[in-house]
Amino acid sequence: MVSTLLALVLAVVGTFSADLPGAVASTPPARAAAPLAGRIVVIDPGHQLGNSRHLAQIDRLVWIGNGRKPCNTTGTATHAGYPEATFAWRVAQRMKRRLEGLGARVILTRPANSTALWGPCVDVRGRRGNAVHADAKISIHGDGSYAAGAHGFHVIYAPDNGLTADTYRASRALALDTRAALGRAGFARANYVAGGDGLDVRSDLGTLNLSDMATVMVECGNMRNAADAARMTSAHGQRRYARALVRGVRSYLAAR
Ligand code: ZN
């Protein structure tokens, strides 16, 4: 009886609303365009977990545009042994989910975080996304300074000359937006990098040199510092990094 009555009420309501002038109840409202629809973001999670088991491969020299450097390095770790590669991978995964949720297409420079894998080399990382004209590249790292009290983040971009003269302005803009987003999220600028402004300019990194798009490398913190390490190894901390880095990318893309 109750169900019959309910069905009757629903039928009446349905008829009524369908009869309303201009009723669009049967047509879902048009979805607002996702804010990053059509954008391509390359995320480069630094190193690979298995690099230390493949030293012959990662020590091989590759051309980085202005010289030769090893294919890759093992990356650093916390004093307790938590690897930089795993930190970078987990932040990258969180960033990927967020960026895809905003409509962006995300390209990762490595497919997994595994002790069985090595690389890719820095030249491959540097060129990744060039062929599809990606809009921005962000390379995620953790630093390994043994200097007493060294902590905080810094954002690296390539200089206004040589290979990177054509991407300098865009990369600097991305660097400033990334620094601002990390600052707003409460992360401290590195106190051990020259200048203390949370920025560094380098011409010796293949990941930056060979990229045709706005590209930054973020040293999120110093894994050899206890407070930074605690932040970088916790799910909460990794979520905070990912959220801030995505905000930096969004700020950069919003202005373009
Ligand atoms: Zn690194």
Side-chain angles (χ1 to χ4, degrees):
M1 184 59 183
V2 171
S3 59
T4 309
L5 266 178
L6 183 60
L8 184 63
V9 168
L10 287 174
V12 170
V13 169
T15 306
F16 180 69
S17 55
D19 287 341
L20 281 173
V24 290
S26 59
T27 311
R31 284 187 62 187
L36 296 184
R39 304 295 197 143
I40 305 176
V41 179
V42 180
I43 304 177
D44 175 45
H47 315 284
Q48 173 59 274
L49 198 56
N51 280 2
S52 59
R53 300 182 181 196
H54 299 85
L55 292 177
Q57 289 94 330
I58 69 162
D59 285 345
R60 180 172 62 87
L61 297 181
V62 298
W63 181 248
I64 63 160
N66 54 10
R68 290 190 180 279
K69 278 186 82 170
C71 157
N72 212 296
T73 67
T74 61
T76 188
T78 67
H79 285 309
Y82 189 103
E84 177 187 355
T86 299
F87 164 74
W89 177 255
R90 293 195 174 156
V91 172
Q93 290 297 308
R94 290 181 181 277
M95 286 184 70
K96 179 176 186 289
R97 283 196 293 274
R98 284 177 179 274
L99 287 165
E100 288 177 343
L102 295 165
R105 177 182 160 201
V106 172
I107 298 172
L108 287 176
T109 58
R110 58 182 169 108
N113 192 53
S114 167
T115 54
L117 299 175
W118 59 274
C121 299
V122 291
D123 56 335
V124 173
R125 292 170 188 262
R127 283 192 290 267
R128 197 71 195 274
N130 288 353
V132 294
H133 306 292
D135 296 284
K137 177 183 294 179
I138 184 154
S139 183
I140 305 164
H141 288 257
D143 214 352
S145 171
Y146 285 88
H151 71 275
F153 76 85
H154 65 286
V155 185
I156 309 168
Y157 57 103
D160 186 15
N161 55 51
L163 279 174
T164 50
D166 56 340
T167 50
Y168 168 78
R169 286 174 66 92
S171 293
R172 179 172 163 79
L174 178 58
L176 295 178
D177 285 335
T178 301
R179 179 182 67 171
L182 286 166
R184 278 196 299 271
F187 294 106
R189 296 175 181 181
N191 65 347
Y192 63 98
V193 177
D197 60 358
L199 298 174
D200 196 11
V201 180
R202 287 175 60 174
S203 61
D204 64 326
L205 298 168
T207 304
L208 304 183
N209 287 352
L210 299 173
S211 183
D212 287 344
M213 71 212 74
T215 302
V216 295
M217 182 177 289
V218 185
E219 295 285 5
C220 291
N222 181 16
M223 300 194 80
R224 296 291 170 180
N225 173 268
D228 280 5
R231 201 175 294 118
M232 296 171 83
T233 56
S234 75
H236 174 69
Q238 291 164 359
R239 192 180 314 122
R240 284 182 58 213
Y241 279 112
R243 192 185 302 140
L245 293 174
V246 166
R247 284 193 178 144
V249 172
R250 281 191 77 174
S251 298
Y252 169 76
L253 293 177
R256 273 150 193 89

